[in-house]
């Protein structure tokens, strides 16, 4: 997988929405790592802003679904990277604006 394909993975992750916030996981600052193997397997490591989040499995499934749609991707692994922490400073300006439209002030 080349850099252009990794860029496509990042674009696909913009379509994965945190259902509570109505904001993409990219804009939420949840995506911490994207790697690919020579076998076109993709690993996406995220952080979880909310310990015990009931939507976590939905988010992980949506990552596998959206990235799995890309041409050439043979397998997608999506996991929480517990060694990293999410911080409210990680959210993008667009993410803050979208969250505000849903009634959240971050």
């Amino acid at each position: 997988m080349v850099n252009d394909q990794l860029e496509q993975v990042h674009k696909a992750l913009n379509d994965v929405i945190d259902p509570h916030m109505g904001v993409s996981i990219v804009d939420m600052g949840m995506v911490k790592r994207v790697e690919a193997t020579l076998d076109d397997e993709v690993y996406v490591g995220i952080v979880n802003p909310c310990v015990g989040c009931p939507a976590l499995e939905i988010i992980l499934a949506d990552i596998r679904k959206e990235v799995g749609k890309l041409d050439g991707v043979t397998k997608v692994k999506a996991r929480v990277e517990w060694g990293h922490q999410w911080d409210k400073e990680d959210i993008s300006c667009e993410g803050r604006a979208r969250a505000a439209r849903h009634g959240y002030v971050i």
Side-chain angles (χ1 to χ4, degrees):
M1 187 166 265
V2 295
N3 287 338
D4 186 45
Q5 291 168 312
L6 285 176
E7 185 177 319
Q8 293 300 314
V9 170
H10 282 280
K11 285 181 182 180
L13 292 173
N14 279 311
D15 292 331
V16 178
I17 305 298
D18 178 326
H20 290 105
M21 303 297 288
V23 177
S24 80
I25 63 171
V26 173
D27 284 328
M28 282 294 295
M30 294 171 63
V31 179
K32 292 299 177 191
R33 185 176 0 176
V34 175
E35 297 176 350
T37 68
L38 294 176
D39 297 332
D40 293 327
E41 293 181 6
V42 176
Y43 171 82
V44 178
I46 66 168
V47 292
N48 193 5
C50 172
V51 175
C53 175
L56 180 60
E57 290 304 319
I58 293 168
I59 292 169
L60 293 172
D62 286 350
I63 291 169
R64 289 187 288 270
K65 176 183 163 193
E66 293 301 324
V67 175
K69 290 179 185 177
L70 298 173
D71 287 339
V73 173
T74 59
K75 185 175 184 178
V76 180
K77 295 179 184 177
R79 294 196 176 100
V80 174
E81 295 199 344
W82 296 107
H84 297 281
Q85 285 187 311
W86 181 85
D87 186 278
K88 66 181 181 177
E89 298 303 317
D90 293 338
I91 193 167
S92 71
C93 291
E94 174 64 23
R96 287 179 198 282
R98 283 194 169 168
R101 288 193 294 271
H102 287 89
Y104 296 99
V105 178
I106 300 174

